């Protein structure tokens, strides 16, 4: 099977490195420079003290034709609009697309795509891009995948091809799968990014934990969650297990990058409006993060 | 008139320097060391490029007998409880007490005080304590004063004794006087302290301004404000006029000190409970600041 990967950030590089052990991979980059570097050096995957090199074909995104059996879209949610326009202008309709974005803000965009089968993925790995062709796999996890539209034959075949080294787990319900991760991200990301603290601080600091629970209640109410206590316990466990980690949104703010706030809290606020529910606390955090992004704009 | 001043922080030192130009002042300090330094060097008042020295008597607070015609209490709200116990155990009931605390959390404490006349003050000066006997008057302003309990004869006489150099303005309604400052503090202080930004950023950054207005609406609702637009315009004007300033709460957080959050948002949250109103956004900011204070505790 030929696999295309669009986007050569930390997740794109990580997937290219592991998938190329099983299938023939082409990775599509934003810049020609990055494609040239990957073609020259391969992708260097660092895991603990072990380093492996995967020789992968790289091309600038302008060269993508959508002819691979499966294309994995590993760009940020806020870069998706441009990719979707590209998909809809391909000469041939692509067969299978797998979208790996965080949050749920992209679901409404996916409805506009011309493609035979559309799949969704939720990535639980930790990865850090160290340079254009080098990625550090610093958090072992799994990837959940599910069918959004069309049939899942190829997705079943694809996910069954990977071992424990890089587990890809087929899920029946894409909505539950994404919702589960959204809940965690919607609580941990904005709080840590605004407070500039590590994940563990949210459960170790009594006052922060109060805010965490309060925010979680508002989210539960919007998503009409049934098993609230289970979800809360999951959030607490993740804060404890990743106590020393800085969340992706905190890292984005620190690095003056755009965050995924629209995909996460933006989606929840739209849901609140749709259901005519109030979400005063989510709204506060949405605008606080937007403001931090604005500081970034003015600084640069 | 003999005037006692309890507390030799920035406001205590500032008041001692100016009042000693008109009346005989004794300043009461927490430590014997500070009293000794003030007795040795006087109080150095820096205003722009001009420096003046005021020779003022200083004694440790343990020596205070409450015999001065007027005693000004210039400690933080969270240090007030101990002072009140001291007042209520004086051999002779003091005549006139003027309390300069921020917020409105102290009003309920003042009802328990044994004293003939109780006055309240609201300080609009900017002052920075640079060492135990040196204060920088870096923001010109005025002091509003009003009667809380008893008669205001002495307060009238006292306030009339000061010129434009250090204006003390008599106000009829102590509640409106404190409320006015509380509204400003309740919006600007927690927001700037959590976001770690200067005052001007709250109106220059569109997303932060959205949060500012949203928080102000909740406060208006709790205080049943009639002239909302006037108050909002006042807040905006202060943010613009002090655009480069770091709020007192931000400075407290940066210096790992306790903040005045209980006196400000704590008071508003109690009001919300009393009136059976919801205040989800104030509650968030209350706990975020409490959490920041908690980080401080654990760091030290």
């Amino acid at each position: 099977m030929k696999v295309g990967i669009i986007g050569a950030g930390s997740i794109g590089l990580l997937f290219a490195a592991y998938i190329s052990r099983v299938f023939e991979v082409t990775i599509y980059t934003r810049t020609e420079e990055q494609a040239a570097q990957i073609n020259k050096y391969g992708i260097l995957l660092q895991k603990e003290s072990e380093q492996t090199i995967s020789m992968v074909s790289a091309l600038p995104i302008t060269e993508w034709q959508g002819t691979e059996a499966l294309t994995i879209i590993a760009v940020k949610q806020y870069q998706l609009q441009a990719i979707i326009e590209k998909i809809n202008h391909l000469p041939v309709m692509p067969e299978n697309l797998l979208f790996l974005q965080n949050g749920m803000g992209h679901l409404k965009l996916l409805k506009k795509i011309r493609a035979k089968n559309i799949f969704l993925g939720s990535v639980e790995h930790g990865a850090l891009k160290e340079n254009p062709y080098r990625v550090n796999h610093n958090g072992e996890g799994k990837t959940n995948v599910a069918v959004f539209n069309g049939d899942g034959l190829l997705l079943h075949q694809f996910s069954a091809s990977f071992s424990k080294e890089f587990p890809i787990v087929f899920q029946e319900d894409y909505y539950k799968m994404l919702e589960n991760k959204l809940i965690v991200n919607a609580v941990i990301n904005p709080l840590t990014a605004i407070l500039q603290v590590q994940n563990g601080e949210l459960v170790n600091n009594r006052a922060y934990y109060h805010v965490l629970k309060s925010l979680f209640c508002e989210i539960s109410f919007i998503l009409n969650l049934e098993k609230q206590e289970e979800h809360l316990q999951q959030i607490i466990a993740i804060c404890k297990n990743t106590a020393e980690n800085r969340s992706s949104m905190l890292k984005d703010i620190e690095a003056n990058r755009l965050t995924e706030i629209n995909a996460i809290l933006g989606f929840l606020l739209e849901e609140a409006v749709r259901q005519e529910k109030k979400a005063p606390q989510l709204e506060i955090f949405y605008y606080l993060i937007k403001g931090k992004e604005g500081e970034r704009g003015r600084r640069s």
Side-chain angles (χ1 to χ4, degrees), chain A:
Chain A
M1 190 191 305
K2 287 191 179 180
V3 176
I5 295 177
I6 296 182
S10 54
I11 295 300
L13 290 173
L14 185 79
F15 272 65
Y18 280 105
I19 293 173
S20 66
R21 295 180 185 177
V22 182
F23 298 117
E24 189 184 335
V25 169
T26 306
I27 188 163
Y28 295 92
T29 62
R30 194 168 53 80
T31 65
E32 294 197 8
E33 290 72 23
Q34 191 182 6
Q37 285 179 295
I38 292 171
N39 285 324
K40 185 170 174 190
Y41 302 113
I43 293 175
L44 274 65
L45 176 73
Q46 182 85 36
K47 193 177 170 192
E48 288 161 14
S49 62
E50 197 186 319
Q51 196 178 73
T52 51
I53 300 180
S54 309
M55 294 317 294
V56 165
S57 312
L59 288 170
I61 175 70
T62 47
E63 302 290 315
W64 181 59
Q65 298 297 323
T67 52
E68 290 91 355
L70 172 69
T71 303
I72 298 173
I73 294 98
V75 301
K76 297 277 187 184
Q77 197 257 354
Y78 49 80
Q79 299 163 321
L80 209 51
Q81 189 67 55
I83 301 289
I84 290 174
E85 277 171 32
K86 203 167 165 54
I87 294 171
N88 288 343
H89 287 86
L90 286 176
V92 182
M93 186 168 85
E95 292 278 313
N96 300 288
L97 301 175
L98 168 57
F99 289 87
L100 296 185
Q101 286 64 40
N102 266 327
M104 296 174 78
H106 56 309
L107 292 184
K108 63 177 184 288
L109 297 177
L110 301 188
K111 291 181 182 153
K112 299 175 191 160
I113 293 181
R114 252 182 4 105
K116 198 159 159 249
N117 305 309
I118 297 179
F119 312 132
L120 291 166
S122 162
V123 180
E124 295 174 0
H125 293 278
L128 187 69
K129 176 179 168 181
E130 295 185 335
N131 74 25
Y133 54 91
R134 182 188 174 115
V135 62
N136 189 339
H137 188 183
N138 54 11
E140 237 184 292
K142 64 181 198 294
T143 303
N144 294 299
V145 293
V147 175
F148 176 70
N149 217 344
D151 80 65
L153 267 181
L154 182 121
L155 189 64
H156 265 295
Q157 189 196 331
F158 177 75
S159 59
S161 310
F162 292 89
S163 63
K164 280 185 190 164
E165 186 188 58
F166 193 70
I168 296 185
V169 182
F170 193 92
Q171 303 284 352
E172 287 302 328
D173 184 340
Y174 80 84
Y175 198 92
K176 285 278 163 224
M177 173 186 86
L178 290 189
E179 186 182 70
N180 200 33
K181 194 175 181 200
L182 178 83
I183 295 163
V184 173
N185 282 339
V187 172
I188 297 178
N189 274 332
L191 264 173
T192 51
I194 287 301
L195 293 168
Q196 315 214 358
V197 297
Q198 298 169 338
N199 296 351
E201 191 74 9
L202 299 186
V203 290
N204 292 332
N205 180 311
R206 221 158 36 154
Y208 292 164
Y209 181 62
H210 184 101
V211 180
L212 179 152
K213 277 201 299 186
S214 187
L215 204 57
F216 171 74
C217 281
E218 226 175 76
I219 293 166
S220 299
F221 177 56
I222 292 172
L223 294 175
N224 306 299
L225 292 187
E226 280 166 16
K227 297 175 181 169
Q228 290 196 21
E229 192 54 33
E230 266 178 44
H231 283 287
L232 181 59
Q233 290 309 322
Q234 191 197 7
I235 294 170
I236 295 168
I238 290 173
C239 286
K240 286 183 179 167
N241 293 339
T242 62
E244 310 274 301
N245 287 15
R246 304 175 90 71
S247 75
S248 60
M249 196 171 283
L250 172 55
K251 283 192 263 185
D252 285 340
I253 290 290
E254 287 176 332
N256 287 346
R257 288 189 298 257
L258 283 177
T259 70
E260 296 186 299
I261 194 71
N262 283 337
I264 299 170
L265 293 193
F267 171 82
L268 289 169
L269 288 174
E270 280 179 22
E271 270 301 298
V273 169
R274 203 178 59 77
Q275 299 178 45
E276 297 181 8
K277 289 177 178 173
K278 283 192 176 178
Q281 304 187 349
L282 288 178
E283 205 177 310
I284 285 282
F285 279 101
Y286 177 80
Y287 283 102
L288 292 180
I289 296 286
K290 287 304 240 185
K292 281 281 167 212
E293 289 183 347
E295 280 187 46
R296 162 193 173 275
R298 293 232 320 292
R299 240 181 270 141
S300 60

